[in-house]
């Protein structure tokens, strides 16, 4: 029986990718693999996309169908227990967006997170007060308890990213520094946090000035690019939109490369990381 969905872990993603590679190396289609399982091809696709837990019996059957040797079968089955463990984010799953359930393992293993926000301070750099004020403004239909839980979850994400020394490369419009979120005290606290972040080795902050020319991301909504130094896990891009909480997740290499190029061009025309404080309000 599949476990309650809480999003795949990195170990889960790696094993799912490996199963897909073994199937392709064996020259079998998803339909042929499904025949070996006595299941629908959608089952194989869900396994390979890490959208369901890895059942030991199913994995063993697939490995035999793919021609894996005894040593490889023992190795993979030995990693199943770890792969199926719930991620650290499991306690917050009730207030997580669907894209977060799928992408939190990627963020939790990312070596670099690049982000663009046209109107607000990026989530991974927000103070608790600023984050809660954003939720109050954009998510008024949520209960106060759910907004509290979402704020707690974001703060835990920040702690995890900081602990793993992920490099945060944040690009924003100066409008994000002038958009009044909460009162003056909340904004002052947020500016202090940005100044502190800019002084850390694992952070890069750049800002497009209010009176500067348009750039390649001017009309683009919030973007986040995740880079994981694990060969089996490709770079992912999350493009957030409206209504709040909706997002497109992109991992097709050509599309991800296109977004990376846009970020590169936009960073070239933004403030130099060492001079970004000059545009602070």
């Amino acid at each position: 029986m599949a476990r309650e969905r809480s999003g795949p872990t990195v170990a889960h993603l790696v094993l799912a990718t490996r199963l897909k590679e073994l199937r392709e190396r064996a020259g079998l289609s998803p339909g042929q693999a499904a025949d070996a399982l006595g299941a629908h091809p959608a089952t194989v696709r869900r396994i390979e996309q890490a959208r369901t837990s890895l059942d030991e019996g199913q994995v063993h059957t697939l490995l035999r169908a793919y021609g894996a040797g005894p040593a490889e079968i023992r190795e993979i089955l030995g990693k199943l227990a770890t792969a199926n463990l719930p991620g650290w984010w499991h306690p917050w799953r009730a207030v997580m967006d669907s894209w977060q359930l799928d992408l939190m393992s990627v963020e939790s293993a990312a070596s670099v997170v690049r982000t663009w926000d046209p109107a607000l301070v990026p989530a991974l750099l927000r103070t608790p007060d600023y984050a809660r004020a954003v939720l109050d403004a954009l998510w008024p239909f949520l209960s106060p308890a759910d907004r509290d839980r979402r704020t707690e979850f974001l703060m835990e994400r920040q702690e995890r990213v900081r602990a793993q020394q992920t490099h945060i490369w944040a690009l924003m419009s100066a409008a994000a520094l002038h958009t009044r979120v909460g009162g003056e005290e909340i904004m002052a606290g947020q500016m202090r946090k940005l100044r502190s972040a800019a002084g850390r080795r694992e952070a890069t902050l750049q800002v497009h000035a209010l009176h500067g020319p348009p750039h390649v991301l001017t009309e683009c909504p919030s973007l986040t690019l995740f880079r994981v130094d694990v060969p089996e896990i490709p770079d992912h891009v999350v493009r957030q939109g409206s209504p709040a909480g909706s997002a497109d997740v992109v991992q097709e290499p050509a599309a991800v490369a296109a977004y990376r190029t846009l970020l590169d061009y936009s960073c070239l025309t933004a403030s130099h990381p060492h001079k970004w404080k000059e545009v602070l309000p």
Side-chain angles (χ1 to χ4, degrees):
M1 180 180 295
R3 58 178 164 81
E4 184 181 2
R5 184 173 182 266
S6 65
T9 61
V10 168
H12 187 176
L13 289 170
V14 169
L15 285 187
T17 301
R18 189 165 176 185
L19 286 171
K20 180 179 180 180
E21 291 173 347
L22 287 171
R23 174 182 61 76
E24 293 174 342
R25 192 182 307 162
L28 298 179
S29 68
Q32 290 171 315
D35 288 342
L37 284 179
H40 192 276
T43 299
V44 174
R45 287 194 291 270
R46 285 178 60 81
I47 289 172
E48 294 181 351
Q49 294 169 0
R51 294 187 177 275
T52 186
S53 56
L54 297 170
D55 177 80
E56 183 175 351
Q58 288 181 326
V59 171
H60 190 269
T61 298
L62 289 174
L63 291 173
R64 288 173 62 88
Y66 300 161
E72 189 168 28
I73 291 176
R74 284 195 301 271
E75 176 201 352
I76 291 176
L77 293 181
K79 295 177 178 178
L80 271 179
T82 299
N84 283 331
L85 287 174
W88 64 260
W89 54 91
H90 189 77
W92 285 277
R93 64 195 182 283
V95 295
M96 292 170 64
D97 299 324
S98 59
W99 69 267
Q100 291 176 323
L101 285 168
D102 292 331
L103 265 292
M104 201 46 53
S105 61
V106 176
E107 179 181 287
S108 298
S111 58
V112 179
V113 174
R114 298 183 65 180
T115 181
W116 151 253
D117 201 303
L120 296 169
V121 172
L124 290 176
L125 295 173
R126 292 174 187 171
T127 65
D129 289 339
Y130 184 99
R132 177 55 195 260
V134 169
L135 290 172
D136 290 343
L138 300 186
W139 298 75
F141 45 85
L142 286 181
S143 70
D146 280 350
R147 279 177 258 167
D148 286 343
R149 290 289 285 163
R150 282 179 173 266
T151 302
E152 292 171 6
F153 174 54
L154 176 58
M155 294 306 106
E156 183 65 24
R157 284 173 61 195
Q158 291 184 11
E159 286 298 322
R160 298 274 177 169
V161 165
R162 186 178 299 112
Q164 69 201 29
Q165 296 185 314
T166 299
H167 191 98
I168 305 296
W169 187 350
L171 175 67
M172 67 190 91
S173 167
L177 307 177
H178 291 269
T179 300
R180 184 163 176 168
V181 177
E184 290 184 8
E185 187 174 344
I186 290 177
M187 289 300 295
Q190 182 60 68
M191 294 306 107
R192 287 194 296 271
K193 177 158 184 168
L194 288 177
R195 291 187 181 94
S196 175
R200 299 202 309 266
R201 183 178 58 183
E202 66 273 16
T204 301
L205 277 64
Q206 289 184 268
V207 177
H208 281 284
L210 279 178
H211 302 294
H215 53 94
V216 293
L217 291 178
T218 294
E219 295 185 321
C220 190
S222 300
L223 289 176
T224 305
L225 187 151
F226 300 95
R227 163 65 58 84
V228 179
D229 293 332
V230 177
E232 294 88 348
I233 302 178
D235 289 357
H236 287 66
V237 168
V238 176
R239 176 175 170 144
Q240 293 177 259
S242 184
S246 65
D248 296 321
V249 178
V250 180
Q251 56 179 308
E252 196 279 318
V256 171
Y259 280 117
R260 188 185 302 110
T261 299
L262 290 176
L263 284 166
D264 288 343
Y265 273 110
S266 190
C267 286
L268 285 173
T269 58
S271 64
H272 189 280
H274 298 301
K275 297 182 178 179
W276 78 275
K277 294 180 184 178
E278 295 176 6
V279 299
L280 281 174

